[in-house]
Amino acid sequence: GSPGRGLRPWCGSQRESLLMTAFQYLQSLISHLACAALPDCGCLSSTPANQTYHRANTGCHTTNKMSDSGEDYDDGNEEEVMEPLTFSMQKAAVVHRRESEMNGDILVEELVRSPSDKSGVIVRRMRFLSNLELEQTEVRLIKVLRSDAPKKKLPGSARDRAATRTRPPKPVLKADSTYLPYECLQGMLISIPLLPDWERNEVPDHDDRAFSVREKLEVLIIGLAGGMLPRFLRFNFPNTSVDCVELDPVVVDVAREYFGFEPDEKLHVHVADGVEFIEKAPEDSYDIVIIDANAVEEDKTLEAPPPGFITHACLANCAKVLRPGGVMTMNVLCSSPTYFQSILDKIKDAFFGRICFLKDQAEDADENYVVFALNHDAQTWPPSREELSRRLAVLEKQTPPLVALELQARVANHFWDGSGRTEGVEG
């Protein structure tokens, strides 16, 4: 209807200006409330790294402001800050912070979904305050209905109780076990088809089921983070048994409380030093040993693994705990080609010269490699790219979540079969 007496209708620009002002005020209020909820919040700390992280990811006192058009603009402050993390063009907010003597403070950040996102998926990441640029893990949490909720005797009439029973149960958050982040973690799955006896023939060759993946695998993983890799293995390869070793007990606690990591009868976690665990483990215990631990030293030339894992003694112990024909898999993040070549040479010495690797092609992982080594002097190993792709195709038929990882394409373009030295390798 028409406006009331003495009132003039607002024009569109006035309305938009007022709404924008209200939105900015609400955004600032939320940021300051987040600060108050976190006693050790970075913006209240005198540590520059803490201030930088919080400013970049919560908007509190941020130097990266947003213009009315949504574009970043420079307000004249020359202080260097991290670029805001984005997921669906949204920033992340710290939802939990835990002190750790080994890794410094551990941050759990949750990526804010856009209002138009109705998927219900919540994405969380783990970071160490001592190395904010490196994401330790990422998990996708989905809402599921609890089927194990205890039944309670409901008060009231029979009609009221019947109506109450028809209400849907309250959903809970569960980690998506079909999701595996990061190319390096995904590439580690190639350890399975690299096993010489990875498949067994039980039915006639003309049958589509002629090859089936080994039913039982014993896997050792050094480095837990959020537990995404062991969870993926347990969910998608149900007969696989996994031992996880994590040096920092706080990481284990955070993984269980915020990333949906749930040990069971075939998934065990050991709080121990990885090098010592391998040294003390019985011989011929595992089919696959995966080393996915980050170095904490100041020298950034080698960010993974810690130097203790690439000594001749540790590599020899890795070979010892592997069964004949077992595969050692190592995540290597090294900025020096010469240093990387020396690591490959050490691994060759411990594993009959049988090595290969997959190059990580993520934009922020130019120096990331997943190295594989065979604990057997097999003349036909590693398999060719074509043979490895064939094996992956079989594996994908039996394990559909692997299809989305596009491992065949990565093997075709970025798999190095161990011949010659690394200079000039494709990818």
Side-chain angles (χ1 to χ4, degrees):
S2 61
R5 186 186 300 272
L7 298 178
R8 292 185 298 109
W10 288 355
C11 66
S13 60
Q14 289 175 318
R15 184 182 297 106
E16 291 174 1
S17 177
L18 181 61
L19 289 175
M20 179 59 67
T21 301
F23 175 78
Q24 291 174 344
Y25 173 81
L26 181 60
Q27 199 173 35
S28 176
L29 178 62
I30 292 174
S31 296
H32 283 79
L33 288 175
C35 295
L38 294 172
D40 296 325
C41 183
C43 70
L44 303 180
S45 170
S46 60
T47 306
N50 293 12
Q51 296 173 351
T52 297
Y53 178 82
H54 189 79
R55 289 172 178 170
N57 292 282
T58 66
C60 179
H61 314 300
T62 180
T63 57
N64 280 5
K65 299 180 181 179
M66 301 295 291
S67 67
D68 292 345
S69 64
E71 299 290 333
D72 287 336
Y73 72 92
D74 184 5
D75 64 352
N77 193 325
E78 295 181 356
E79 179 181 0
E80 181 180 355
V81 298
M82 285 177 53
E83 289 294 324
L85 302 174
T86 58
F87 179 75
S88 300
M89 303 305 293
Q90 296 295 311
K91 293 183 179 180
V94 176
V95 297
H96 181 71
R97 178 171 179 161
R98 186 75 61 88
E99 292 183 0
S100 168
E101 294 182 0
M102 296 182 181
N103 291 296
D105 285 2
I106 297 175
L107 304 177
V108 178
E109 62 186 23
E110 198 164 286
L111 303 188
V112 182
R113 293 180 291 126
S114 65
S116 61
D117 184 358
K118 305 301 182 182
S119 66
V121 175
I122 295 176
V123 178
R124 285 181 184 163
R125 291 173 177 165
M126 180 191 298
R127 293 180 188 269
F128 297 157
L129 194 59
S130 59
N131 190 1
L132 288 173
E133 293 81 7
L134 184 63
E135 295 173 16
Q136 300 298 323
T137 192
E138 178 180 287
V139 65
R140 288 184 180 177
L141 301 172
I142 54 179
K143 293 181 180 180
V144 298
L145 298 180
R146 289 188 57 182
S147 59
D148 59 344
K151 296 182 179 180
K152 297 181 180 179
K153 187 175 181 179
L154 302 174
S157 65
R159 178 180 296 179
D160 292 338
R161 291 196 297 270
T164 304
R165 288 194 188 97
T166 61
R167 295 173 186 171
K170 186 177 181 179
V172 295
L173 291 175
K174 286 285 187 180
D176 183 358
S177 297
T178 65
Y179 173 68
L180 188 63
Y182 313 127
E183 285 197 3
C184 60
L185 286 184
Q186 298 165 4
M188 293 174 188
L189 297 175
I190 295 176
S191 306
I192 297 174
L194 280 175
L195 291 167
D197 61 341
W198 79 287
E199 57 190 5
R200 52 187 174 79
N201 194 344
E202 285 193 338
V203 289
D205 290 343
H206 63 271
D207 195 299
D208 289 339
R209 300 169 299 158
F211 297 103
S212 58
V213 179
R214 288 175 54 181
E215 287 189 352
K216 184 178 180 181
L217 287 174
E218 304 283 346
V219 180
L220 171 64
I221 300 178
I222 306 296
L224 178 66
M228 298 302 298
L229 181 59
R231 180 192 296 112
F232 188 93
L233 288 171
R234 279 290 292 121
F235 182 83
N236 296 287
F237 302 92
N239 294 315
T240 297
S241 296
V242 183
D243 282 333
C244 296
V245 180
E246 172 56 49
L247 182 62
D248 190 347
V250 180
V251 170
V252 178
D253 293 340
V254 172
R256 299 184 70 162
E257 295 175 25
Y258 291 91
F259 291 86
F261 177 67
E262 300 176 356
D264 57 30
E265 69 279 359
K266 291 186 178 181
L267 174 55
H268 304 97
V269 60
H270 309 267
V271 178
D273 180 278
V275 173
E276 295 179 359
F277 187 93
I278 295 173
E279 180 182 0
K280 297 176 182 178
E283 295 184 15
D284 302 338
S285 299
Y286 300 102
D287 300 289
I288 298 172
V289 172
I290 297 176
I291 299 176
D292 183 29
N294 294 327
V296 296
E297 288 76 7
E298 293 295 328
D299 182 10
K300 297 300 183 181
T301 303
L302 180 67
E303 295 195 47
F309 287 97
I310 53 175
T311 64
H312 291 289
C314 183
L315 293 171
N317 287 329
C318 287
K320 178 199 72 174
V321 302
L322 281 169
R323 298 186 176 108
V327 171
M328 184 199 74
T329 302
M330 181 180 289
N331 181 31
V332 179
L333 182 56
C334 181
S335 60
S336 168
T338 303
Y339 197 177
F340 177 59
Q341 182 64 59
S342 70
I343 294 173
L344 294 182
D345 291 340
K346 288 181 180 179
I347 297 175
K348 282 183 179 181
D349 291 342
F351 288 91
F352 303 95
R354 301 294 172 184
I355 67 168
C356 54
F357 67 79
L358 187 69
K359 179 75 166 59
D360 192 332
Q361 292 303 300
E363 292 183 1
D364 57 348
D366 292 339
E367 302 145 348
N368 209 162
Y369 305 85
V370 180
V371 181
F372 309 93
L374 180 70
N375 189 34
H376 185 63
D377 190 13
Q379 299 300 316
T380 57
W381 196 94
S384 65
R385 293 181 177 182
E386 293 74 19
E387 170 61 16
L388 187 53
S389 293
R390 184 195 70 82
R391 296 182 182 184
L392 283 169
V394 175
L395 201 60
E396 289 174 354
K397 287 183 179 180
Q398 301 179 13
T399 314
L402 293 179
V403 176
L405 306 184
E406 300 182 344
L407 294 177
Q408 290 189 63
R410 287 162 59 186
V411 163
N413 296 311
H414 309 299
F415 179 72
W416 183 73
D417 63 5
S419 59
R421 299 182 70 81
T422 60
E423 288 80 6
V425 62
E426 182 180 357

